[in-house]
């Protein structure tokens, strides 16, 4: 901006989600900003705008809808839990905003699926709830620590669902509970099926990793489990992983 030099400092970064938080020295100047929106409030069919610099064309805006939520896009980053949109996203859009019609940020454009290198209407954005967690951690001076549950699990397959009399193959079955861990303190037992965490459904490992990434160590959250055909709600304390695994 003319002769003005803006200094950027890397406050913190999350390599698993390929996001960094930067501090801007504005010399007292106030910048406009986007408010964050709870990305869990977005539904399939909602209209969204994608903002970015595709092919070097600065401040390009495209429109579309949310095609899917909680979409896996293997190999993009460790999340495998994206918002999918058909708004045109091309090389150069990565890092740009995905905005709902109320003008709030619901995601950061991250990747596309394409056989040609151009947009074919399948784009992926990292949900805003991950961004909010990174901002909370970075601005408080902490480092990102993902909660550890102290249990080992396996996905519920069709055969497992049939054997456990479950209505559909979804959730994670507990294989082992480590002594003294958060799972044991919550009362989780072997063969329990985890189906929800903090009022959000848990269908697979990707959804559990995502939910944990939005939570902080030290919180206690409700977890829904199926045990012998009954649904129970247990209070799960979130702890940091042990230094010695």
């Amino acid at each position: 901006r003319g002769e003005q030099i803006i200094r950027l400092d890397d406050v913190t970064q999350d390599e698993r989600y390929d996001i960094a938080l930067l501090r801007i020295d504005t010399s007292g100047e106030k910048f406009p900003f986007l408010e964050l929106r709870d990305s869990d409030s977005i539904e399939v069919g909602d209209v969204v705008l994608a903002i970015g610099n595709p092919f070097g064309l600065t401040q390009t805006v495209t429109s579309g809808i949310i095609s899917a939520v909680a979409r896996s896009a293997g190999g993009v980053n460790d999340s495998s839990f994206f918002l999918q949109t058909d708004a045109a996203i091309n090389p150069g859009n990565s890092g740009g905003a995905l905005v709902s019609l109320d003008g709030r940020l619901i995601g950061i454009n991250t990747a596309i699926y394409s056989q040609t290198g151009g947009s074919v209407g399948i784009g992926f954005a990292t949900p805003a709830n991950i961004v909010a967690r990174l901002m909370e951690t970075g601005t408080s001076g902490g480092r990102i620590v993902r909660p550890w549950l102290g249990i080992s699990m396996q996905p519920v397959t069709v055969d497992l669902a049939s054997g456990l009399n479950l209505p559909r193959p979804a959730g994670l079955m507990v294989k082992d509970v480590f002594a003294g861990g958060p799972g044991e303190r919550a009362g989780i037992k072997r063969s329990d099926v985890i189906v929800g965490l903090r009022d959000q459904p848990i269908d697979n490992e990707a959804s559990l990793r995502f939910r944990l990434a939005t939570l902080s160590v030290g919180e206690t959250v409700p977890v829904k489990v199926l045990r012998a055909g009954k649904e129970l709600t247990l209070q799960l304390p979130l702890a940091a992983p042990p230094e010695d695994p």
Side-chain angles (χ1 to χ4, degrees), residues 171-201:
L172 295 168
M173 190 179 76
V174 176
K175 295 194 299 181
D176 200 5
V177 180
F178 304 129
E184 184 183 65
R185 297 201 300 272
I188 294 176
K189 300 182 182 299
R190 291 185 63 183
S191 299
D192 283 352
V193 177
I194 297 176
V195 294
L197 185 69
R198 208 180 188 184
D199 298 325
Q200 295 295 333

Side-chain angles (χ1 to χ4, degrees), residues 82-151:
F82 295 93
L83 300 175
Q84 181 183 328
T85 178
D86 68 350
I89 293 177
N90 287 288
N93 274 107
S94 295
L98 189 68
V99 182
S100 54
L101 288 189
D102 60 0
R104 290 187 289 173
L105 182 78
I106 60 166
I108 293 181
N109 302 325
T110 303
I112 60 173
Y113 175 82
S114 176
Q115 294 177 318
T116 63
S119 174
V120 293
I122 303 178
F124 303 100
T126 299
N129 286 3
I130 289 292
V131 181
R133 177 75 180 93
L134 183 72
M135 290 171 58
E136 177 187 350
T137 302
T139 54
S140 64
R143 65 185 183 92
I144 297 173
V145 179
R146 286 176 172 77
W148 175 70
L149 301 186
I151 55 180

Side-chain angles (χ1 to χ4, degrees), residues 55-69:
F55 304 110
L57 302 173
T58 59
Q59 293 300 304
T60 294
V61 180
T62 54
S63 66
I65 64 170
I66 293 295
S67 307
V69 296

Side-chain angles (χ1 to χ4, degrees), residues 37-79:
R37 174 172 170 174
D38 180 2
S39 51
D40 287 332
S41 69
I42 293 296
E43 298 180 353
V44 172
D46 285 351
V47 177
V48 292
L49 304 176
I51 303 173
N53 306 317
F55 304 110
L57 302 173
T58 59
Q59 293 300 304
T60 294
V61 180
T62 54
S63 66
I65 64 170
I66 293 295
S67 307
V69 296
R71 177 68 82 198
S72 176
V76 176
N77 61 31
D78 192 56
S79 167

